[in-house]
Amino acid sequence: MKTISKALLSTLALFAFTVSASFASSPEISNARIIQPPPGAKVAAAYFNIENTAADSLVITGANSDDVPMVSIHLSIVVDDVAKMLEQESVTIDAGDTLEFKHGSYHLMLMGLTEPLVSGSNLSFELQTSAGTFPIQIPVLSPDEAANMSAGTMDHGNMNHDNMNHDAKKKMKHGDHGKMENK
Ligand SMILES: [Cu+2]
């Protein structure tokens, strides 16, 4: 009897471990946004923060979207005062680290756009990584909304980005997003 319950216990423990391990390996995406490009633009950039919550390095190898003809990982750099964008085959995030895809750094380059990106809409992406493929929804923000959002992020580095991400659209629609800067 004792042996059976021990076996059952260890089975349960193993199950619990498996479940939490599979959650832990999903990267945390926050603050995802695409800044609406000017009318007629064929390209746009997508930004987000990605936290590698797993115990192993996470390698991002690419992204795709049914909504965008071509998606590449780019890195913006400045060489001799000239801004350049370099296509990256992959980006590695160490265990526990967060990488910000942002203006002037890593970004997803959305290319071959045939229709204007409308602020308030969401584009669906799949991120290909060493830990599998993960879906991401990225909202299109007007330039004003995006400026408010990044100002808020910079002023409040400790803020829970998840909450901000979830509330951002509603807050910004009501025009009170600027409050975050004044806190
Ligand atoms: Cu680019």
Side-chain angles (χ1 to χ4, degrees):
M1 200 58 172
K2 204 176 176 188
T3 318
I4 291 168
S5 57
K6 240 187 186 171
L8 183 65
L9 260 181
S10 59
T11 305
L12 285 175
L14 186 66
F15 177 72
F17 175 77
T18 309
V19 168
S20 65
S22 72
F23 277 120
S25 65
S26 286
E28 288 269 337
I29 307 279
S30 58
N31 206 8
R33 72 269 186 209
I34 293 165
I35 299 166
Q36 187 181 33
K42 299 270 188 292
V43 298
Y47 306 124
F48 50 87
N49 299 342
I50 178 165
E51 179 183 0
N52 177 10
T53 56
D56 300 311
S57 298
L58 181 73
V59 183
I60 303 172
T61 53
N64 59 44
S65 171
D66 288 342
D67 300 320
V68 180
M70 199 159 104
V71 183
S72 294
I73 302 170
H74 275 189
L75 174 62
S76 293
I77 56 163
V78 176
V79 179
D80 296 333
D81 290 335
V82 179
K84 294 181 176 183
M85 297 196 290
L86 304 179
E87 187 166 351
Q88 306 289 298
E89 280 185 12
S90 65
V91 185
T92 300
I93 307 169
D94 290 340
D97 278 4
T98 298
L99 181 67
E100 286 185 51
F101 280 64
K102 61 184 178 184
H103 181 73
S105 181
Y106 288 102
H107 54 279
L108 295 184
M109 199 83 224
L110 320 183
M111 293 171 285
L113 300 174
T114 53
E115 312 229 332
L117 299 179
V118 181
S119 69
S121 64
N122 274 285
L123 302 192
S124 298
F125 291 82
E126 280 191 334
L127 202 61
Q128 288 126 23
T129 78
S130 53
T133 298
F134 300 99
I136 323 179
Q137 295 286 321
I138 307 186
V140 179
L141 308 182
S142 72
D144 282 352
E145 288 170 337
N148 286 340
M149 197 171 181
S150 62
T153 305
M154 279 189 288
D155 289 352
H156 301 280
N158 293 329
M159 206 165 141
N160 185 329
H161 288 178
D162 285 342
N163 288 344
M164 195 165 100
N165 210 18
H166 292 147
D167 297 343
K169 260 199 315 189
K170 201 164 82 186
K171 277 184 185 165
M172 287 188 293
K173 271 192 184 145
H174 291 280
D176 61 356
H177 203 66
K179 273 180 192 168
M180 295 203 308
E181 295 168 32
N182 303 327
K183 264 181 203 164

